[in-house]
DNA sequence: AGTTTTTCTTAATCTAGTTCAATGCGAAGG
DNA sequence: CCTTCGCATTGAACTAGATTAAGAAAAACT
């Protein structure tokens, strides 16, 4: 893990002294995941908030008929977790899986609270992180209810070009709220023009 | 406005001294809105984060064909704004309208920054507010892509029974991502059983 | 290197939800 | 008090997207 790059990323939100950064990094536990391995399985309590440092993870819900629905992708410098499970201690409703070989830094719920108390600047950091995440979730909801699938796919390509290269199409279909078959149809139609 | 009730609500998140609460309240500007009046019009910059103290507001996006798509409802103790516009100073993409006679307390962007500096506890307060909002947005996205309209309507009724009484059905349909006609059909079907 | 598993594609059929148009009705506002 | 406007409902025709099934291609394990 490149701590230089990580520190630079944090500087976009808050200014940390070297000791503070040191302390923060000491709370993080690295974990490597081969492609298709699970970071979190449905039913298990989510114990960590995980910062992706390499690769790409996918967070999905499995419905009563066994169909998977993608809630979010997480690439480098993105946090991922089942927030509901993490905050309430309830069993996870989501699965988190590495789509390619990946690495994360895990921060436990308890260490997170500790961090808030030791370095209140992190309240600000996560306030901004959550605020940004909220805005992009709002945009996604609007696009889902206001635009047809083809338009949403175009938007996705524009917004996350790197993710499109990285993950299987079926996950992208699922993220868009359509079947892989229908995404395939859309792609053929778009290619023809 | 009942400041007692408001203070009690804040105590769920952070502990404020009387002076701190006093200072915070001094930054808030009350505004009354008759039913169907706008708090924010599309194209205008969103200048305030507004805390609803009475009534109910609706935040919606208007697409290229003039159709309205509800992003959120806001009742007592909920904050509302076009976050993107508020944070970036860009023209608003959303309209915010009172659905019934309502009252809000407005906090300007500048005063919000001031508040963070004067009373860092508010970083924590809004961190929790955004975190909770994010979780409910995640749930909404999952329900939208994983479940059919009737199921989503049932969930809505369970989760927000008070809102269902308060707002016109067409807004609920829009929130669910369906047409008013189809919601009408669903209701008839549900009534028959 | 061969076999299994996963992913993508294509086409036919089906359905949840839309569109359009007409009607009735209650509530706002002059 | 009346008239306009916003809201809900109904039904018929339509379409975006789902489902099912089958085959091809690619990737993953042995």
């Amino acid at each position: 893990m490149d701590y230089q790059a990580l520190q630079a990323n944090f500087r976009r939100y808050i200014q940390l002294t070297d000791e503070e950064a040191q302390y923060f990094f000491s709370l993080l536990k690295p974990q490597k995941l081969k492609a298709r391995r699970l970071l979190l399985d449905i039913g298990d309590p989510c114990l960590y908030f995980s910062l992706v440092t390499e690769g790409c993870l996918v967070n999905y819900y499995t419905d009563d008929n066994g169909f998977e629905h993608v809630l979010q992708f997480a690439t480098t410098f993105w946090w991922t977790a089942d927030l509901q499970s993490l905050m309430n201690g309830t069993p996870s409703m989501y699965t988190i899986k590495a789509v390619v070989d990946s690495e994360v830094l895990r921060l436990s719920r308890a260490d997170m609270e500790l961090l808030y108390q030791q370095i209140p600047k992190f309240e600000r950091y996560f306030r901004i992180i959550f605020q940004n995440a909220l805005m992009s979730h709002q945009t996604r909801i609007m696009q889902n209810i206001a635009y047809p699938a083809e338009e949403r796919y175009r938007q996705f390509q524009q917004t996350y070009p790197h993710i499109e290269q990285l993950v299987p199409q079926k996950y992208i279909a699922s993220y868009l709220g359509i079947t892989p078959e229908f995404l395939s149809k859309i792609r053929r139609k778009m290619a023809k023009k």
Side-chain angles (χ1 to χ4, degrees), chain A residues 1 9 51-56 74-79 103 162:
Chain A
M1 175 56 224
N9 184 264
L51 178 59
V52 179
T53 52
E54 218 185 293
C56 181
T75 51
T76 308
F77 300 139
W78 284 65
W79 290 91
E103 194 184 333
H162 56 297

Side-chain angles (χ1 to χ4, degrees), chain A residues 54-107:
Chain A
E54 218 185 293
C56 181
L57 310 196
V58 61
N59 185 328
Y60 61 84
Y61 172 75
T62 306
D63 71 23
D64 312 333
N65 302 316
F67 288 98
E68 298 171 357
H69 304 276
V70 172
L71 179 62
Q72 66 147 207
F73 297 109
T75 51
T76 308
F77 300 139
W78 284 65
W79 290 91
T80 189
D82 176 339
L83 277 186
Q84 309 234 23
S85 173
L86 183 65
M87 296 304 158
N88 309 325
T90 51
S92 166
M93 294 188 357
Y94 299 93
T95 309
I96 304 179
K97 182 193 268 186
V99 277
V100 296
D101 292 357
S102 303
E103 194 184 333
V104 301
L105 298 174
R106 295 181 310 174
L107 177 63

Side-chain angles (χ1 to χ4, degrees), chain A residues 21 34 37 63 114 136 152 172:
Chain A
K34 287 267 175 213
R37 293 280 177 263
D63 71 23
L114 203 60
S136 62
R152 265 142 54 205
I172 296 174

Side-chain angles (χ1 to χ4, degrees), chain A residues 29-41:
Chain A
K29 307 284 179 325
Q31 176 173 4
K32 295 196 181 217
L33 285 159
K34 287 267 175 213
R36 257 156 302 117
R37 293 280 177 263
L38 302 187
L39 176 62
L40 174 66
D41 202 357

